Amino acid sequence: MPAEPVAPPATTDDGHGGRTVRRLVTVLALAAVLPALYLPNLKHDFFDLKIYMSAMDWWRAGNPLYDYVQPDRVQGELYFTYPPFSALLLWPFALFSVTATAWIFSILTVVAVVVTTRWLLDGVIARHHLPRMFTLTVAVLLVLAVESTRETITFGQINMLLVVLILADLLFAVPKARRWAGVGIGLATALKLFPGIFIVYLLACRRWRAAAVASATAAVATLLAAAVAPRDSWRFWTHELWATERVGRTDYTGNQSLFGLLSRITAPERPDRLLWLVLVAAIAAYGLWRAARAARAGDPLVGLTLTGLVGALISPITWTHHIYWFIPAVVVLADAALDSDPATPSGARRRRRLTVSAVAVSAIIVYGVVSFYDWGVALAPTDSPGEFLLRNVYVLLSLVLLATLPIRTRTEKLHQMDSLPG
C-alpha cells in the first residue's frame, strides 16, 4: 500500500516578522506613554537651570556668587549652593539664552541616558542572548520614564553628567585597574559633593590608588576654582557648605533622605540630630560593608548601586532627581532573575521573586513621589501610615534594597565583565 502523503508543516507569519511587529508595538506603546508622564513635570519649567543661569549673570556682574537668592513658593529662599568648580562649568552657558541652554542640557541628559543604559545592559544582553537593539531601546525608554530622569530634565539638572563620570570609573576604570581610575569620581565630587561617598567606597574596597587619584582630582579641581574665585571659594568651604537651610526645607516630600523622613515625622520641629547621626553611621557601615563584599565578589555594579543608595540615605538633602541608583538596582534584579534556573523548584521561585521585585521597583520609580501629588507648603507632620508610606517611599525602598539586593559571585559575572566595552 502506498504511503499516505504527509502534509507539510503549517506555515505561519508569526516568525521573525511577527516578533518584529510585537517589538515595534512595544516600543511605540512605551514612547506614547512618555508625554503623559512628563506632563505633570512641565510645571518645573527648568526652574533649577534658571537659578543657575541667573546666579551666573549675578556673578558676572561682580556680585558675590553665594549672595544670589531667589524666592520659591514651597522652599522659601533658594540660593546657588553648588561648589565653586560647578560655577566654572556653568559660567559659559550664561552666554546663551535660557532656552538654548535648556535644549543643550536636555539633549546632553538624553545622550547620557542612552550611553549609561548601554553600559549597564551590554553584559546582560551578551550573557542572556537578548535582542540587542530592542532591549536597549525599551530600557532607554523606561529610564526616560523614571521620575528621577523626568525631574532631571524638567528642572534642568546636571545629575546625569555625574552618573556618567561615576559609572565610567566604577564599571571600567577601577575593575580594570586603569591608571586614570578615580578621575571621574574626583571630578564628580568637585562638581557636587554627593559623589564623595564613592571615594569612601573605594577605600572600603581597598582600592587605595583609585581613592588617592579621586581625592587628588577633587582637590586639584577645587584649587583651580579657588584660584579663579578665591573669596567665593573661601566662603563656600567655611560657611555655605554647612548651611543646609540654603538648599531648601528638609521636611519637603521631595527630600527623600533619612533626614527628610525624620523631619516629616517631627515637623514643624527639627529632628534629633544625635538620633540621625546614629542612624547614618549604622546605615553607612552596613551599606558600605555590603558594597565592599559585592566588589570583592566581582560584582562592581551591585557595589556602586549600594553605595549610591547609601549616599542618598545619609545626605541631609536628597531630592528625587538625585536618586538615579534605583535604575541599576532594577538591572541587577532582572539579571539575577534571568540567571535563576527555572527548571528547579528553588530556581523557579527565585526567578519569580526577583522578577516581581524588579517590576515593583520599576513601577514605584516611574510613578514617583512628587510628580502626581501636591504636598502643599504647610509644616505639618506625617500623621497616618498611608501618608507615611507615600511620602517616604524612596527612603523605605532604599533601605529594603540595601538589605536585599542580590550579590552575584565572580564566576557569574566573569562573562558579563568581559563583554563590556572599553
Side-chain angles (χ1 to χ4, degrees):
M1 246 184 111
E4 294 184 5
V6 178
T11 60
T12 176
D13 292 332
D14 193 31
H16 178 72
R19 286 195 302 272
T20 301
V21 170
R22 287 195 297 274
R23 291 171 184 173
L24 182 61
V25 169
T26 301
V27 168
L28 291 176
L30 287 173
V33 170
L34 286 180
L37 291 172
Y38 273 81
L39 190 60
N41 295 77
L42 294 181
K43 64 181 182 292
H44 300 324
D45 193 26
F46 300 101
F47 183 78
D48 290 356
L49 179 61
K50 289 177 178 177
I51 291 180
Y52 305 155
M53 296 303 99
S54 297
M56 293 303 101
D57 290 338
W58 168 270
W59 196 31
R60 289 175 63 204
N63 300 299
L65 175 61
Y66 295 103
D67 276 354
Y68 178 80
V69 61
Q70 183 168 312
D72 177 63
R73 180 181 71 91
V74 175
Q75 304 287 348
E77 292 185 335
L78 294 178
Y79 301 81
F80 184 83
T81 58
Y82 286 177
F85 186 64
S86 287
L88 296 186
L89 176 72
L90 292 168
W91 186 88
F93 290 100
L95 301 175
F96 302 100
S97 68
V98 172
T99 300
T101 304
W103 274 106
I104 293 170
F105 272 50
S106 299
I107 292 170
L108 289 176
T109 296
V110 172
V111 170
V113 165
V114 173
V115 170
T116 53
T117 304
R118 180 193 165 193
W119 288 351
L120 294 178
L121 286 179
D122 265 349
V124 179
I125 290 170
R127 290 175 61 220
H128 301 291
H129 309 290
L130 303 175
R132 178 179 173 76
M133 187 56 64
F134 172 69
T135 304
L136 287 175
T137 302
V138 168
V140 166
L141 290 173
L142 288 173
V143 173
L144 288 173
V146 170
E147 183 181 62
S148 63
T149 310
R150 302 197 307 263
E151 297 235 316
T152 293
I153 291 175
T154 54
F155 271 116
Q157 274 284 345
I158 64 170
N159 299 317
M160 285 307 299
L161 168 62
L162 307 180
V163 170
V164 168
L165 292 170
I166 293 166
L167 291 188
D169 245 354
L170 293 179
L171 287 180
F172 307 118
V174 172
K176 297 177 185 295
R178 303 295 193 201
R179 292 176 62 86
W180 52 272
V183 170
I185 291 172
L187 287 174
T189 303
L191 287 167
K192 204 170 182 179
L193 299 177
F194 175 93
I197 189 66
F198 292 97
I199 299 179
V200 181
Y201 166 63
L202 291 174
L203 293 172
C205 296
R206 300 181 182 179
R207 296 281 190 168
W208 312 119
R209 176 183 169 83
V213 169
S215 301
T217 302
V220 169
T222 300
L223 290 173
L224 172 64
V228 175
R231 291 184 180 178
D232 291 308
S233 293
W234 176 260
R235 178 174 169 181
F236 176 82
W237 293 106
T238 60
H239 182 266
E240 310 305 340
L241 171 61
W242 315 103
T244 55
E245 69 276 3
R246 289 174 58 93
V247 183
R249 274 175 39 193
T250 59
D251 70 296
Y252 175 56
T253 305
N255 178 21
Q256 288 293 303
S257 68
L258 181 64
F259 194 74
L261 179 148
L262 295 174
S263 297
R264 287 185 282 277
I265 293 174
T266 63
E269 303 299 325
R270 294 183 71 81
D272 186 301
R273 291 272 178 166
L274 180 59
L275 171 63
W276 173 64
L277 289 173
V278 169
L279 292 174
V280 160
I283 288 169
Y286 175 71
L288 289 171
W289 170 72
R290 284 205 80 215
R293 272 188 59 206
R296 288 194 298 272
D299 198 346
L301 181 55
V302 170
L304 70 88
T305 301
L306 292 172
T307 304
L309 294 173
V310 167
L313 286 166
I314 69 175
S315 174
I317 299 284
T318 301
W319 301 129
T320 50
H321 51 265
H322 293 163
I323 316 180
Y324 167 84
W325 310 105
F326 292 134
I327 292 168
V330 171
V331 173
V332 169
L333 291 170
D335 188 25
L338 291 171
D339 276 334
S340 303
D341 183 6
T344 64
S346 61
R349 285 194 300 271
R350 185 170 188 267
R351 173 170 284 201
R352 283 195 299 271
R353 175 173 55 81
L354 290 168
T355 300
V356 169
S357 298
V359 171
V361 173
S362 300
I364 290 169
I365 63 178
V366 167
Y367 189 73
V369 294
V370 295
S371 292
F372 301 99
Y373 294 93
D374 183 359
W375 294 104
V377 298
L379 280 163
T382 304
D383 57 4
S384 72
E387 185 176 290
F388 176 83
L389 179 62
L390 280 173
R391 295 188 72 187
N392 300 291
V393 66
Y394 285 175
V395 184
L396 301 174
L397 182 59
S398 297
L399 291 170
V400 170
L401 289 172
L402 213 60
T404 62
L405 198 66
I407 296 173
R408 284 78 54 86
T409 65
R410 187 179 303 275
T411 53
E412 288 176 317
K413 298 298 294 174
L414 213 61
H415 183 70
Q416 181 176 15
M417 292 308 300
D418 288 342
S419 62
L420 287 172

